[in-house]
Structures are given as structure tokens and as C-alpha cells.
Amino acid sequence: MNYKIIEKDNKIILKDMKNFEPKHIFECGQAFRWHVEEDGSYTAIHKGKVINVKREGRDVVFSNTNRSDFENIWFNYFDLGRDYSKIKEELSKDSVLKEAIKFGQGIRILNQEPFEIIISFIISANNQIPRIKKSIELISRSYGEYIDTYNGRKYFSFPTHDILADADIEDLEKNHKVGYRAKYIVNTSKMIKQGKIDLDSIYSLSTAEGQEKLKKFPGVGPKVSSCILLFAFNKDNAFPIDIWVKRIMEYFYLEEDTKLKDISKFANKKFGDLAGFAQQYLFYYARELGVGKKNKR
Ligand code: 8HG
């Protein structure tokens, strides 16, 4: 990779780091637990560790961490082994993607924890990002464990499947604002607890096979399973189609009211193994600028 790494005072600094913009990474729709601080840095918790990330000029600074955690946890989480310049160069051959990439040039796809992502995207169905974030925060506070305080804010781990399998559906529904999705959360957690579906086995499946397996969980359909495969299981060709991706695909490439299956086929043909990355640049671009929304261009 094209950066130099420095360890100093509980910080890791990546010098001259390209293709890494905290705002793009944490606000592009893939993750719900990154909290923006007053100085523009972002803080979150993953695998029981709290980390703060900030761009400072040409560098990226990771605070509250050390070399060993960086190598064992964060390198993989931030997908640092991947050459995003190459991906961007390839996708920029398409003029729409070229614009979307200009807009979200610092996006990277994070490698997040499967159980947390499954529950988060069950919550995301027919929901809005600020509400999804709120529910996940409330669930972590009630059912997770207190880990650390950073910059005056308390951080809690996301609960395990064993804990959520025993959660009270009404409590989730009412006090954690997940509505009808509460029963999906508890029943999905129960299926995992009972060993009905082994999450680790999904890493080695194809995207299509992984999708079939994940769809056995209640509340998991084609879109939610594609998000889970892309954000937790390294399936780079998964192409989740929500309303924003549908709109932008129809606006630039296809006719209005194209069937989701046909959009999916088109995207897989056009973007191939890079479809998941293409989707993320498009989702961020469409959502931030309102591209494809009626009356807006
Ligand atoms: O990153 C995302 N990509 C796509 N395609 N859809 C997403 C992402 N994140 C996210 O929350 N969604 C869905 O969009 C879930 C929900 O239906 C809606 C929130 O705006």
C-alpha cells in the first residue's frame, strides 16, 4: 500500500493516505455507529475497542489505538489491504461512475461484524438512516456492555445473539423504536443461537449461495441480504438496490419502473466483480445530492 505508518502517543498515523475520507466512509450508508465529533473526526466501537479517526491534511490519524490492534483489527476493518485507486480507475471508465467517484472519492467498504450487520440491516428495511442509528444505539445501551468513554460519550458493544435471542419483543418494539421488526430481531437471534445457520460458513459461499442462506432469516430479503453480504462477508459483487440505487440506475441507465431483478442483472453485467463498490459510490452520490428524485437533477 502507498502509505507510511507511524505510532505515537496511543495514535497511529498513516502518512500520505489516499482513498480514505472519514466523512465518505462513515456517511455513505454502510455503517450506523460512527459518531461525528465537533472537530470533524469520527468515533465508533468495533470488537470491543473504541477508536477515533480524523483526516489531517495528507494524513489519517487513528486515536485511542496501538500498532498491535491496528494490525489485528483495524487493518482488516478499514479494508486497508485493497487498492482503491485500481477500483476507481476501472469504474471511472463509465461516465456516471466517474462523477459519483469524484463526489465520494474517499469511500472504502468496511469489513464489519456479521451479527451486528444482520440486525442493523433488518432494522434498516423501510426505515430512514437517522432512525436506524437511533435504534442501534438504544439497543447497544440496553443490551450491550459498557466498554469505554471517549470525549465524554459512553460506548457500548453491540449485544451478542445469545442476549438478543432472549430479549423481550415488546421492549424492543416500543423502547428501542424498531416497530414490527422486533420479532425478526429476536427470531433471527434465536436461529443463530440454536445453530440453525452458521454465520462463519457464509464467508466461503458464493454471493448467490450466501444470499439464499441469509434469506432464511425473518426480515431478510434480497436487499437486506445484499447489504449484509457486502458489508460483513466480503462479497464485492453484491449489489443492494434500495430506493436511491433504483432511482439513480433508472435515471442514468434504464427506464423508469424497471424490475429490481432486471436492474440487478444489468448492474452485474456492467460492473461485474466491482458491483458492490459501484453501488456504494452511487448510493452516496444519489442520496446526498438527491439524484434521480423527481424534479431534481
Ligand atoms: O449502503 C447502502 N446501500 C444501499 N443500497 N441501501 C442502503 C445502504 N444503507 C442503507 O441504510 N440502505 C438502505 O437505504 C436501508 C434503507 O432502506 C434505506 C435508508 O435510506
Side-chain angles (χ1 to χ4, degrees), residues 252-267:
F252 285 115
Y253 304 106
L254 299 158
E255 285 176 6
E256 246 183 74
D257 298 325
T258 304
K259 285 193 197 125
L260 294 182
K261 270 213 167 108
D262 294 332
I263 300 180
S264 188
K265 264 191 209 151
F266 177 88

Side-chain angles (χ1 to χ4, degrees), residues 28-30 32 121 124 127 129 132 223 231 240 242 245 279-280 283:
C28 72
Q30 64 180 323
F32 302 111
F121 280 91
S124 86
N127 211 340
I129 289 178
I132 303 166
K223 179 184 71 179
F231 302 139
D242 73 301
V245 171
Q279 174 278 152
Q280 213 59 38
F283 180 80

Side-chain angles (χ1 to χ4, degrees), residues 188-202:
T188 290
S189 304
K190 279 190 177 149
M191 283 170 73
I192 299 170
K193 185 178 177 185
Q194 291 159 0
K196 290 198 172 141
I197 292 178
D198 169 24
L199 296 184
D200 282 341
S201 71
I202 297 176

